[in-house]
Amino acid sequence: MTSLPEPAVLVLEDGTRHVGRAYGALGTTLGEVVFATGMSGYQETLTDPSYAGQIVLQTAPHIGNTGMNDEDPESRRIWVAGYIVRDPSRVVSNWRANASLDEILIQDGIVGISGIDTRAITRHIRSAGSMRGGIFSGEAAGLDAEEHLRIVREAPEMAGQNLSSQVSVEVATVTTALGEKIGNLAVLDLGVKQATIDNLAARGFEVHVLPQSSTFADITAIDPVAVFYSNGPGDPSASDAQVAVLREVLDAKLPYFGICFGNQLFGRALGLGTYKLTFGHRGINQPVLDKATGKVEITAHNHGFAVEAPLEGSFDSPEGYGKVEVSHVGLNDNVVEGLRALDIPAFSVQYHPEAAAGPHDANYLFDRFRDLVLASQKDAK
């Protein structure tokens, strides 16, 4: 007879407690508790570097039935600080799987909890906002409630944290262009995903993934035809160095495309402010309006911060980069989901057009970037 997993406790900073069963590694983990609404793609979610520092709750109740494989990871490891599921699958039933989810959670040292009411926690966060939390299992589960809460409340808040250095590559890597080569593309790795690199290479870019600490001189050393800022974790207001480098990129009139964190840093480079969302957007079912076409796209999101900008019409960049407009708007809450500069070759979106687990409505943005670079090359001749 199989014994039940050891007890585990989830504690939120407002004192809310949920007792369940350990899932993954045993121990203590702390982070910002957030929920992800995707019904599939948990492997891509777990290996998305943008989730560093966050304890991710899956709103889909049944997780793990397709196991884990070597083809779908978005990066070199699992990055979530912790994992919350309601009903972990007891068996793996997919021909591509070579390990179970809980085996990989243990391998990467990810502390999780299962068997709790994830719907109740989601509704609580949906009202009160994302907050710090901790998962305690093994010996740590036996600590008294006051000690659990003290530990959680002493953990750092997400606001003000610069986490890109934790997830970025330390040395540059290069992915060869597929088909006819357009030129070298400098990708500043703030937490880039493999699907992004693959999509850029498929458009003819030789993709040079550079450490997040790279200077403008490091970027120009590869003779780039364009610059790309990736997704990533943390507070955009804590990334002054990357914003300063981006302004040098814009001053040089190099074509620029940014996604997610790269959208927030583009906003800051233009002179706009950013702010923390109450509970953020996470999942693969977020409706966004492309104002240029009038089409509504279902998109993949993972962001807890957003850019402040007027939604209608164009406006002057406070930093002197000409006219700018909001290109995409989130239809659930009117959050800025994209920016387009009208006088320099630069644009960005707040979501993930690569969306390896789907949907693929926004994949055309990589083509838009390719066309922007080709047009800039033509104008330069």
Side-chain angles (χ1 to χ4, degrees), residues 9-46:
V9 184
L10 169 69
V11 180
L12 303 182
E13 67 175 281
D14 65 357
T16 303
R17 291 173 61 86
H18 293 266
V19 178
R21 294 290 174 180
Y23 186 53
L26 296 178
T28 298
T29 191
L30 303 169
E32 182 185 44
V33 180
V34 301
F35 59 87
T37 58
M39 295 184 69
S40 62
Y42 60 80
Q43 181 165 354
E44 290 86 349
T45 294
L46 288 166

PDB file of all heavy atoms in Angstrom, residues 9-46:
ATOM      1  N   VAL A   9       2.331  22.942   4.098  1.00  0.00           N
ATOM      2  CA  VAL A   9       1.493  24.085   4.449  1.00  0.00           C
ATOM      3  C   VAL A   9       1.825  25.251   3.524  1.00  0.00           C
ATOM      4  O   VAL A   9       3.007  25.556   3.302  1.00  0.00           O
ATOM      5  CB  VAL A   9       1.711  24.525   5.912  1.00  0.00           C
ATOM      6  CG1 VAL A   9       0.756  25.663   6.277  1.00  0.00           C
ATOM      7  CG2 VAL A   9       1.529  23.358   6.869  1.00  0.00           C
ATOM      8  N   LEU A  10       0.795  25.898   2.984  1.00  0.00           N
ATOM      9  CA  LEU A  10       0.943  27.144   2.241  1.00  0.00           C
ATOM     10  C   LEU A  10       0.483  28.276   3.151  1.00  0.00           C
ATOM     11  O   LEU A  10      -0.629  28.245   3.678  1.00  0.00           O
ATOM     12  CB  LEU A  10       0.108  27.123   0.962  1.00  0.00           C
ATOM     13  CG  LEU A  10      -0.013  28.465   0.233  1.00  0.00           C
ATOM     14  CD1 LEU A  10       1.333  28.880  -0.365  1.00  0.00           C
ATOM     15  CD2 LEU A  10      -1.089  28.400  -0.860  1.00  0.00           C
ATOM     16  N   VAL A  11       1.332  29.279   3.320  1.00  0.00           N
ATOM     17  CA  VAL A  11       1.013  30.419   4.176  1.00  0.00           C
ATOM     18  C   VAL A  11       1.166  31.701   3.364  1.00  0.00           C
ATOM     19  O   VAL A  11       2.210  31.927   2.730  1.00  0.00           O
ATOM     20  CB  VAL A  11       1.947  30.474   5.402  1.00  0.00           C
ATOM     21  CG1 VAL A  11       1.599  31.670   6.290  1.00  0.00           C
ATOM     22  CG2 VAL A  11       1.853  29.170   6.197  1.00  0.00           C
ATOM     23  N   LEU A  12       0.139  32.530   3.352  1.00  0.00           N
ATOM     24  CA  LEU A  12       0.185  33.834   2.690  1.00  0.00           C
ATOM     25  C   LEU A  12       0.465  34.925   3.720  1.00  0.00           C
ATOM     26  O   LEU A  12       0.207  34.753   4.909  1.00  0.00           O
ATOM     27  CB  LEU A  12      -1.122  34.126   1.976  1.00  0.00           C
ATOM     28  CG  LEU A  12      -1.570  33.105   0.925  1.00  0.00           C
ATOM     29  CD1 LEU A  12      -2.867  33.557   0.261  1.00  0.00           C
ATOM     30  CD2 LEU A  12      -0.483  32.887  -0.121  1.00  0.00           C
ATOM     31  N   GLU A  13       0.985  36.042   3.251  1.00  0.00           N
ATOM     32  CA  GLU A  13       1.415  37.090   4.172  1.00  0.00           C
ATOM     33  C   GLU A  13       0.273  37.736   4.951  1.00  0.00           C
ATOM     34  O   GLU A  13       0.503  38.387   5.976  1.00  0.00           O
ATOM     35  CB  GLU A  13       2.200  38.173   3.437  1.00  0.00           C
ATOM     36  CG  GLU A  13       1.408  39.002   2.456  1.00  0.00           C
ATOM     37  CD  GLU A  13       2.256  40.135   1.870  1.00  0.00           C
ATOM     38  OE1 GLU A  13       2.423  41.151   2.574  1.00  0.00           O
ATOM     39  OE2 GLU A  13       2.745  39.992   0.741  1.00  0.00           O
ATOM     40  N   ASP A  14      -0.979  37.534   4.505  1.00  0.00           N
ATOM     41  CA  ASP A  14      -2.108  38.073   5.273  1.00  0.00           C
ATOM     42  C   ASP A  14      -2.586  37.088   6.338  1.00  0.00           C
ATOM     43  O   ASP A  14      -3.604  37.324   6.998  1.00  0.00           O
ATOM     44  CB  ASP A  14      -3.262  38.465   4.345  1.00  0.00           C
ATOM     45  CG  ASP A  14      -3.884  37.279   3.612  1.00  0.00           C
ATOM     46  OD1 ASP A  14      -3.387  36.143   3.768  1.00  0.00           O
ATOM     47  OD2 ASP A  14      -4.867  37.495   2.875  1.00  0.00           O
ATOM     48  N   GLY A  15      -1.847  35.989   6.515  1.00  0.00           N
ATOM     49  CA  GLY A  15      -2.188  35.012   7.536  1.00  0.00           C
ATOM     50  C   GLY A  15      -3.000  33.830   7.056  1.00  0.00           C
ATOM     51  O   GLY A  15      -3.236  32.880   7.816  1.00  0.00           O
ATOM     52  N   THR A  16      -3.436  33.849   5.795  1.00  0.00           N
ATOM     53  CA  THR A  16      -4.190  32.724   5.236  1.00  0.00           C
ATOM     54  C   THR A  16      -3.318  31.468   5.215  1.00  0.00           C
ATOM     55  O   THR A  16      -2.151  31.518   4.805  1.00  0.00           O
ATOM     56  CB  THR A  16      -4.655  33.056   3.802  1.00  0.00           C
ATOM     57  OG1 THR A  16      -5.436  34.241   3.819  1.00  0.00           O
ATOM     58  CG2 THR A  16      -5.477  31.921   3.216  1.00  0.00           C
ATOM     59  N   ARG A  17      -3.885  30.334   5.638  1.00  0.00           N
ATOM     60  CA  ARG A  17      -3.153  29.072   5.676  1.00  0.00           C
ATOM     61  C   ARG A  17      -3.948  27.979   4.970  1.00  0.00           C
ATOM     62  O   ARG A  17      -5.173  27.911   5.095  1.00  0.00           O
ATOM     63  CB  ARG A  17      -2.910  28.611   7.122  1.00  0.00           C
ATOM     64  CG  ARG A  17      -1.951  29.447   7.907  1.00  0.00           C
ATOM     65  CD  ARG A  17      -1.920  29.003   9.374  1.00  0.00           C
ATOM     66  NE  ARG A  17      -1.474  27.619   9.536  1.00  0.00           N
ATOM     67  CZ  ARG A  17      -0.204  27.249   9.619  1.00  0.00           C
ATOM     68  NH1 ARG A  17       0.766  28.145   9.535  1.00  0.00           N
ATOM     69  NH2 ARG A  17       0.118  25.969   9.806  1.00  0.00           N
ATOM     70  N   HIS A  18      -3.239  27.137   4.223  1.00  0.00           N
ATOM     71  CA  HIS A  18      -3.853  25.973   3.583  1.00  0.00           C
ATOM     72  C   HIS A  18      -2.950  24.775   3.840  1.00  0.00           C
ATOM     73  O   HIS A  18      -1.750  24.823   3.542  1.00  0.00           O
ATOM     74  CB  HIS A  18      -4.017  26.192   2.077  1.00  0.00           C
ATOM     75  CG  HIS A  18      -5.014  27.265   1.730  1.00  0.00           C
ATOM     76  ND1 HIS A  18      -6.333  26.992   1.458  1.00  0.00           N
ATOM     77  CD2 HIS A  18      -4.855  28.609   1.621  1.00  0.00           C
ATOM     78  CE1 HIS A  18      -6.959  28.119   1.190  1.00  0.00           C
ATOM     79  NE2 HIS A  18      -6.089  29.116   1.284  1.00  0.00           N
ATOM     80  N   VAL A  19      -3.513  23.716   4.374  1.00  0.00           N
ATOM     81  CA  VAL A  19      -2.750  22.502   4.679  1.00  0.00           C
ATOM     82  C   VAL A  19      -3.018  21.461   3.599  1.00  0.00           C
ATOM     83  O   VAL A  19      -4.175  21.165   3.273  1.00  0.00           O
ATOM     84  CB  VAL A  19      -3.145  21.946   6.062  1.00  0.00           C
ATOM     85  CG1 VAL A  19      -2.371  20.660   6.344  1.00  0.00           C
ATOM     86  CG2 VAL A  19      -2.874  22.984   7.145  1.00  0.00           C
ATOM     87  N   GLY A  20      -1.948  20.935   3.016  1.00  0.00           N
ATOM     88  CA  GLY A  20      -2.081  19.917   1.975  1.00  0.00           C
ATOM     89  C   GLY A  20      -0.972  18.896   2.082  1.00  0.00           C
ATOM     90  O   GLY A  20      -0.517  18.569   3.183  1.00  0.00           O
ATOM     91  N   ARG A  21      -0.528  18.406   0.923  1.00  0.00           N
ATOM     92  CA  ARG A  21       0.499  17.376   0.861  1.00  0.00           C
ATOM     93  C   ARG A  21       1.704  17.875   0.062  1.00  0.00           C
ATOM     94  O   ARG A  21       1.559  18.636  -0.900  1.00  0.00           O
ATOM     95  CB  ARG A  21      -0.054  16.119   0.194  1.00  0.00           C
ATOM     96  CG  ARG A  21      -1.162  15.441   1.004  1.00  0.00           C
ATOM     97  CD  ARG A  21      -0.609  14.813   2.266  1.00  0.00           C
ATOM     98  NE  ARG A  21      -1.660  14.272   3.137  1.00  0.00           N
ATOM     99  CZ  ARG A  21      -1.428  13.679   4.302  1.00  0.00           C
ATOM    100  NH1 ARG A  21      -0.185  13.551   4.743  1.00  0.00           N
ATOM    101  NH2 ARG A  21      -2.421  13.229   5.033  1.00  0.00           N
ATOM    102  N   ALA A  22       2.891  17.433   0.467  1.00  0.00           N
ATOM    103  CA  ALA A  22       4.109  17.829  -0.226  1.00  0.00           C
ATOM    104  C   ALA A  22       4.081  17.331  -1.664  1.00  0.00           C
ATOM    105  O   ALA A  22       3.611  16.226  -1.949  1.00  0.00           O
ATOM    106  CB  ALA A  22       5.331  17.272   0.508  1.00  0.00           C
ATOM    107  N   TYR A  23       4.575  18.161  -2.564  1.00  0.00           N
ATOM    108  CA  TYR A  23       4.665  17.804  -3.985  1.00  0.00           C
ATOM    109  C   TYR A  23       5.997  18.327  -4.498  1.00  0.00           C
ATOM    110  O   TYR A  23       6.266  19.524  -4.431  1.00  0.00           O
ATOM    111  CB  TYR A  23       3.500  18.421  -4.749  1.00  0.00           C
ATOM    112  CG  TYR A  23       3.411  17.992  -6.195  1.00  0.00           C
ATOM    113  CD1 TYR A  23       3.405  16.650  -6.547  1.00  0.00           C
ATOM    114  CD2 TYR A  23       3.321  18.938  -7.218  1.00  0.00           C
ATOM    115  CE1 TYR A  23       3.308  16.264  -7.875  1.00  0.00           C
ATOM    116  CE2 TYR A  23       3.214  18.556  -8.539  1.00  0.00           C
ATOM    117  CZ  TYR A  23       3.221  17.224  -8.862  1.00  0.00           C
ATOM    118  OH  TYR A  23       3.127  16.835 -10.181  1.00  0.00           O
ATOM    119  N   GLY A  24       6.839  17.435  -4.978  1.00  0.00           N
ATOM    120  CA  GLY A  24       8.175  17.840  -5.386  1.00  0.00           C
ATOM    121  C   GLY A  24       9.142  17.720  -4.228  1.00  0.00           C
ATOM    122  O   GLY A  24       9.030  16.822  -3.381  1.00  0.00           O
ATOM    123  N   ALA A  25      10.102  18.642  -4.163  1.00  0.00           N
ATOM    124  CA  ALA A  25      11.123  18.594  -3.124  1.00  0.00           C
ATOM    125  C   ALA A  25      10.549  18.991  -1.766  1.00  0.00           C
ATOM    126  O   ALA A  25       9.548  19.713  -1.684  1.00  0.00           O
ATOM    127  CB  ALA A  25      12.278  19.529  -3.493  1.00  0.00           C
ATOM    128  N   LEU A  26      11.175  18.511  -0.711  1.00  0.00           N
ATOM    129  CA  LEU A  26      10.783  18.880   0.650  1.00  0.00           C
ATOM    130  C   LEU A  26      11.625  20.064   1.120  1.00  0.00           C
ATOM    131  O   LEU A  26      12.798  20.198   0.761  1.00  0.00           O
ATOM    132  CB  LEU A  26      10.979  17.703   1.604  1.00  0.00           C
ATOM    133  CG  LEU A  26      10.142  16.444   1.369  1.00  0.00           C
ATOM    134  CD1 LEU A  26      10.510  15.374   2.382  1.00  0.00           C
ATOM    135  CD2 LEU A  26       8.647  16.761   1.439  1.00  0.00           C
ATOM    136  N   GLY A  27      11.018  20.915   1.950  1.00  0.00           N
ATOM    137  CA  GLY A  27      11.760  22.040   2.498  1.00  0.00           C
ATOM    138  C   GLY A  27      10.901  23.276   2.605  1.00  0.00           C
ATOM    139  O   GLY A  27       9.672  23.189   2.756  1.00  0.00           O
ATOM    140  N   THR A  28      11.530  24.418   2.507  1.00  0.00           N
ATOM    141  CA  THR A  28      10.846  25.716   2.591  1.00  0.00           C
ATOM    142  C   THR A  28      11.148  26.533   1.354  1.00  0.00           C
ATOM    143  O   THR A  28      12.296  26.558   0.888  1.00  0.00           O
ATOM    144  CB  THR A  28      11.329  26.498   3.833  1.00  0.00           C
ATOM    145  OG1 THR A  28      11.002  25.768   5.008  1.00  0.00           O
ATOM    146  CG2 THR A  28      10.676  27.879   3.892  1.00  0.00           C
ATOM    147  N   THR A  29      10.151  27.193   0.801  1.00  0.00           N
ATOM    148  CA  THR A  29      10.379  28.127  -0.287  1.00  0.00           C
ATOM    149  C   THR A  29       9.506  29.345  -0.085  1.00  0.00           C
ATOM    150  O   THR A  29       8.395  29.258   0.450  1.00  0.00           O
ATOM    151  CB  THR A  29      10.097  27.487  -1.659  1.00  0.00           C
ATOM    152  OG1 THR A  29      10.584  28.351  -2.687  1.00  0.00           O
ATOM    153  CG2 THR A  29       8.609  27.235  -1.877  1.00  0.00           C
ATOM    154  N   LEU A  30      10.024  30.504  -0.516  1.00  0.00           N
ATOM    155  CA  LEU A  30       9.331  31.780  -0.360  1.00  0.00           C
ATOM    156  C   LEU A  30       9.273  32.486  -1.704  1.00  0.00           C
ATOM    157  O   LEU A  30      10.167  32.341  -2.540  1.00  0.00           O
ATOM    158  CB  LEU A  30      10.067  32.662   0.654  1.00  0.00           C
ATOM    159  CG  LEU A  30      10.272  32.071   2.051  1.00  0.00           C
ATOM    160  CD1 LEU A  30      11.240  32.930   2.849  1.00  0.00           C
ATOM    161  CD2 LEU A  30       8.936  31.940   2.778  1.00  0.00           C
ATOM    162  N   GLY A  31       8.229  33.262  -1.922  1.00  0.00           N
ATOM    163  CA  GLY A  31       8.102  34.013  -3.159  1.00  0.00           C
ATOM    164  C   GLY A  31       6.762  34.705  -3.236  1.00  0.00           C
ATOM    165  O   GLY A  31       5.946  34.640  -2.306  1.00  0.00           O
ATOM    166  N   GLU A  32       6.533  35.356  -4.363  1.00  0.00           N
ATOM    167  CA  GLU A  32       5.245  35.995  -4.618  1.00  0.00           C
ATOM    168  C   GLU A  32       4.287  34.947  -5.170  1.00  0.00           C
ATOM    169  O   GLU A  32       4.580  34.309  -6.187  1.00  0.00           O
ATOM    170  CB  GLU A  32       5.408  37.144  -5.609  1.00  0.00           C
ATOM    171  CG  GLU A  32       4.106  37.887  -5.895  1.00  0.00           C
ATOM    172  CD  GLU A  32       4.251  38.951  -6.964  1.00  0.00           C
ATOM    173  OE1 GLU A  32       4.901  38.682  -7.995  1.00  0.00           O
ATOM    174  OE2 GLU A  32       3.717  40.059  -6.772  1.00  0.00           O
ATOM    175  N   VAL A  33       3.143  34.764  -4.521  1.00  0.00           N
ATOM    176  CA  VAL A  33       2.175  33.759  -4.963  1.00  0.00           C
ATOM    177  C   VAL A  33       1.304  34.353  -6.058  1.00  0.00           C
ATOM    178  O   VAL A  33       0.641  35.373  -5.860  1.00  0.00           O
ATOM    179  CB  VAL A  33       1.308  33.270  -3.788  1.00  0.00           C
ATOM    180  CG1 VAL A  33       0.298  32.224  -4.276  1.00  0.00           C
ATOM    181  CG2 VAL A  33       2.185  32.668  -2.686  1.00  0.00           C
ATOM    182  N   VAL A  34       1.326  33.706  -7.233  1.00  0.00           N
ATOM    183  CA  VAL A  34       0.558  34.169  -8.388  1.00  0.00           C
ATOM    184  C   VAL A  34      -0.161  32.976  -9.002  1.00  0.00           C
ATOM    185  O   VAL A  34       0.211  31.826  -8.767  1.00  0.00           O
ATOM    186  CB  VAL A  34       1.470  34.826  -9.443  1.00  0.00           C
ATOM    187  CG1 VAL A  34       2.220  36.012  -8.860  1.00  0.00           C
ATOM    188  CG2 VAL A  34       2.467  33.815 -10.019  1.00  0.00           C
ATOM    189  N   PHE A  35      -1.192  33.243  -9.799  1.00  0.00           N
ATOM    190  CA  PHE A  35      -1.888  32.144 -10.457  1.00  0.00           C
ATOM    191  C   PHE A  35      -1.731  32.226 -11.967  1.00  0.00           C
ATOM    192  O   PHE A  35      -1.667  33.307 -12.544  1.00  0.00           O
ATOM    193  CB  PHE A  35      -3.378  32.106 -10.067  1.00  0.00           C
ATOM    194  CG  PHE A  35      -4.162  33.337 -10.387  1.00  0.00           C
ATOM    195  CD1 PHE A  35      -4.747  33.505 -11.637  1.00  0.00           C
ATOM    196  CD2 PHE A  35      -4.356  34.336  -9.437  1.00  0.00           C
ATOM    197  CE1 PHE A  35      -5.491  34.645 -11.940  1.00  0.00           C
ATOM    198  CE2 PHE A  35      -5.095  35.475  -9.722  1.00  0.00           C
ATOM    199  CZ  PHE A  35      -5.661  35.632 -10.982  1.00  0.00           C
ATOM    200  N   ALA A  36      -1.641  31.051 -12.615  1.00  0.00           N
ATOM    201  CA  ALA A  36      -1.539  30.938 -14.067  1.00  0.00           C
ATOM    202  C   ALA A  36      -2.760  30.186 -14.567  1.00  0.00           C
ATOM    203  O   ALA A  36      -3.085  29.112 -14.053  1.00  0.00           O
ATOM    204  CB  ALA A  36      -0.262  30.204 -14.463  1.00  0.00           C
ATOM    205  N   THR A  37      -3.427  30.741 -15.583  1.00  0.00           N
ATOM    206  CA  THR A  37      -4.727  30.224 -15.997  1.00  0.00           C
ATOM    207  C   THR A  37      -4.682  29.223 -17.138  1.00  0.00           C
ATOM    208  O   THR A  37      -5.726  28.775 -17.601  1.00  0.00           O
ATOM    209  CB  THR A  37      -5.644  31.392 -16.406  1.00  0.00           C
ATOM    210  OG1 THR A  37      -5.016  32.129 -17.467  1.00  0.00           O
ATOM    211  CG2 THR A  37      -5.899  32.327 -15.234  1.00  0.00           C
ATOM    212  N   GLY A  38      -3.506  28.861 -17.621  1.00  0.00           N
ATOM    213  CA  GLY A  38      -3.439  27.912 -18.735  1.00  0.00           C
ATOM    214  C   GLY A  38      -3.913  26.525 -18.332  1.00  0.00           C
ATOM    215  O   GLY A  38      -3.591  26.031 -17.252  1.00  0.00           O
ATOM    216  N   MET A  39      -4.672  25.886 -19.221  1.00  0.00           N
ATOM    217  CA  MET A  39      -5.120  24.518 -18.973  1.00  0.00           C
ATOM    218  C   MET A  39      -4.127  23.491 -19.500  1.00  0.00           C
ATOM    219  O   MET A  39      -4.282  22.287 -19.290  1.00  0.00           O
ATOM    220  CB  MET A  39      -6.499  24.291 -19.601  1.00  0.00           C
ATOM    221  CG  MET A  39      -7.593  25.140 -18.971  1.00  0.00           C
ATOM    222  SD  MET A  39      -9.225  24.784 -19.634  1.00  0.00           S
ATOM    223  CE  MET A  39      -9.504  23.142 -18.974  1.00  0.00           C
ATOM    224  N   SER A  40      -3.113  23.964 -20.222  1.00  0.00           N
ATOM    225  CA  SER A  40      -2.067  23.082 -20.736  1.00  0.00           C
ATOM    226  C   SER A  40      -0.758  23.857 -20.708  1.00  0.00           C
ATOM    227  O   SER A  40      -0.725  25.042 -20.376  1.00  0.00           O
ATOM    228  CB  SER A  40      -2.393  22.613 -22.158  1.00  0.00           C
ATOM    229  OG  SER A  40      -2.466  23.721 -23.037  1.00  0.00           O
ATOM    230  N   GLY A  41       0.335  23.179 -21.062  1.00  0.00           N
ATOM    231  CA  GLY A  41       1.619  23.865 -21.154  1.00  0.00           C
ATOM    232  C   GLY A  41       2.322  24.088 -19.831  1.00  0.00           C
ATOM    233  O   GLY A  41       3.112  25.025 -19.698  1.00  0.00           O
ATOM    234  N   TYR A  42       2.095  23.208 -18.856  1.00  0.00           N
ATOM    235  CA  TYR A  42       2.736  23.437 -17.563  1.00  0.00           C
ATOM    236  C   TYR A  42       4.258  23.326 -17.645  1.00  0.00           C
ATOM    237  O   TYR A  42       4.983  23.996 -16.909  1.00  0.00           O
ATOM    238  CB  TYR A  42       2.183  22.508 -16.472  1.00  0.00           C
ATOM    239  CG  TYR A  42       2.352  21.031 -16.727  1.00  0.00           C
ATOM    240  CD1 TYR A  42       3.567  20.391 -16.481  1.00  0.00           C
ATOM    241  CD2 TYR A  42       1.299  20.269 -17.208  1.00  0.00           C
ATOM    242  CE1 TYR A  42       3.729  19.046 -16.722  1.00  0.00           C
ATOM    243  CE2 TYR A  42       1.446  18.906 -17.446  1.00  0.00           C
ATOM    244  CZ  TYR A  42       2.666  18.295 -17.205  1.00  0.00           C
ATOM    245  OH  TYR A  42       2.833  16.962 -17.438  1.00  0.00           O
ATOM    246  N   GLN A  43       4.775  22.499 -18.560  1.00  0.00           N
ATOM    247  CA  GLN A  43       6.232  22.381 -18.675  1.00  0.00           C
ATOM    248  C   GLN A  43       6.829  23.695 -19.161  1.00  0.00           C
ATOM    249  O   GLN A  43       7.869  24.142 -18.657  1.00  0.00           O
ATOM    250  CB  GLN A  43       6.617  21.240 -19.615  1.00  0.00           C
ATOM    251  CG  GLN A  43       8.128  21.070 -19.741  1.00  0.00           C
ATOM    252  CD  GLN A  43       8.548  19.754 -20.353  1.00  0.00           C
ATOM    253  OE1 GLN A  43       7.738  18.875 -20.616  1.00  0.00           O
ATOM    254  NE2 GLN A  43       9.840  19.594 -20.587  1.00  0.00           N
ATOM    255  N   GLU A  44       6.176  24.336 -20.126  1.00  0.00           N
ATOM    256  CA  GLU A  44       6.646  25.626 -20.620  1.00  0.00           C
ATOM    257  C   GLU A  44       6.551  26.690 -19.534  1.00  0.00           C
ATOM    258  O   GLU A  44       7.428  27.550 -19.402  1.00  0.00           O
ATOM    259  CB  GLU A  44       5.848  26.052 -21.854  1.00  0.00           C
ATOM    260  CG  GLU A  44       6.117  25.220 -23.103  1.00  0.00           C
ATOM    261  CD  GLU A  44       5.269  23.957 -23.183  1.00  0.00           C
ATOM    262  OE1 GLU A  44       4.611  23.593 -22.179  1.00  0.00           O
ATOM    263  OE2 GLU A  44       5.251  23.317 -24.254  1.00  0.00           O
ATOM    264  N   THR A  45       5.486  26.641 -18.740  1.00  0.00           N
ATOM    265  CA  THR A  45       5.323  27.602 -17.639  1.00  0.00           C
ATOM    266  C   THR A  45       6.439  27.451 -16.623  1.00  0.00           C
ATOM    267  O   THR A  45       7.079  28.424 -16.216  1.00  0.00           O
ATOM    268  CB  THR A  45       3.955  27.397 -16.954  1.00  0.00           C
ATOM    269  OG1 THR A  45       2.908  27.732 -17.869  1.00  0.00           O
ATOM    270  CG2 THR A  45       3.830  28.266 -15.709  1.00  0.00           C
ATOM    271  N   LEU A  46       6.689  26.228 -16.195  1.00  0.00           N
ATOM    272  CA  LEU A  46       7.684  25.983 -15.153  1.00  0.00           C
ATOM    273  C   LEU A  46       9.088  26.396 -15.588  1.00  0.00           C
ATOM    274  O   LEU A  46       9.899  26.832 -14.762  1.00  0.00           O
ATOM    275  CB  LEU A  46       7.681  24.505 -14.768  1.00  0.00           C
ATOM    276  CG  LEU A  46       6.468  24.021 -13.967  1.00  0.00           C
ATOM    277  CD1 LEU A  46       6.415  22.503 -13.954  1.00  0.00           C
ATOM    278  CD2 LEU A  46       6.526  24.557 -12.547  1.00  0.00           C
TER     279      LEU A  46
END
